[in-house]
Amino acid sequence: MTQASVDARIRFVKDTWRTLPGIPRIDSRDERRANTEFHDVPILDARPMHLRGELDLDTNGFVLTRHETPMGDFSDRAAVESDYLPSLCTLIASLTGAEAVFPINYLVRSEKPLNPSDWVNAYARYVHLDYNTPRALDTLPVSYTHLRAHETR
C-alpha cells in the first residue's frame, strides 16, 4: 500500500551552522536568506498510519490526536495561561504517561506581528528548533528549578 505524499520546498539552516560555536541566530531577512537553503522534502500523510494504529511516540516520535479548544483569541495571555495551557498539559500527560507537564512559554507567531520591528514573533520561514535541553532548563521559571536536578538522560 503506497502512502500519500506531496513534495515541498522547505528552507533549512545551512549545514555549516552545525560546527559553529554557541547558539547561532538569524535576526533579519537578509541573514535568513544568507544562512538557509531550500531542500525538496516529501511530506507524508500520517493519517492512514494513525487509523491502523501504527503511530506511537517511542517508534515515530509523534502521534496524531484530536484536541478541541474553545480558545478563539490566543493573544489573550490570561485566557491562554488559565485555560489553554492546562488543557494541553492534561492532554500531553495522558498521551505520554508523564506525571507532570510544565509549560515554559508560549508565542503566537503571525505573518504580520502587531509590532512590525518584532522579527522574533513573525513566522520563521525556515526549519529550526527553538529549544534544546540546556536552553529549556535555562528558561525554566524559578518555581521549576527543582527540575534541574532531573535533567533528561
Side-chain angles (χ1 to χ4, degrees):
M1 170 184 269
T2 59
Q3 189 167 355
S5 70
V6 296
D7 291 325
R9 291 187 49 77
I10 299 178
R11 192 183 287 269
F12 286 81
V13 174
K14 290 182 178 177
D15 282 341
T16 53
W17 276 44
R18 293 178 191 264
T19 59
L20 294 177
I23 300 172
R25 294 190 53 87
I26 294 179
D27 292 317
S28 71
R29 285 179 182 83
D30 290 337
E31 287 179 2
R32 181 186 69 221
R33 290 182 181 121
N35 293 294
T36 61
E37 59 194 7
F38 284 103
H39 292 264
D40 293 323
V41 178
I43 308 294
L44 303 177
D45 183 355
R47 291 172 292 187
M49 292 175 67
H50 169 69
L51 293 173
R52 293 189 304 266
E54 297 172 355
L55 291 178
D56 68 75
L57 285 173
D58 292 332
T59 302
N60 307 97
F62 70 96
V63 294
L64 300 179
T65 191
R66 235 179 232 296
H67 180 65
E68 301 293 330
T69 178
M71 286 297 303
D73 182 5
F74 284 91
S75 66
D76 182 348
R77 182 172 277 284
V80 168
E81 290 177 351
S82 67
D83 300 331
Y84 185 66
L85 292 180
S87 74
L88 287 182
C89 290
T90 300
L91 175 66
I92 292 166
S94 72
L95 292 171
T96 63
E99 292 178 24
V101 177
F102 300 93
I104 296 171
N105 194 5
Y106 86 96
L107 173 65
V108 177
R109 294 197 187 267
S110 170
E111 180 71 27
K112 296 181 179 178
L114 296 175
N115 179 354
S117 66
D118 190 1
W119 173 259
V120 173
N121 290 334
Y123 295 145
R125 299 189 186 276
Y126 60 95
V127 175
H128 69 287
L129 179 64
D130 285 332
Y131 291 93
N132 58 20
T133 300
R135 179 153 185 241
L137 291 170
D138 285 345
T139 60
L140 286 174
V142 173
S143 60
Y144 296 162
T145 54
H146 64 283
L147 295 178
R148 294 179 201 281
H150 303 287
E151 292 184 26
T152 58
R153 295 168 243 154

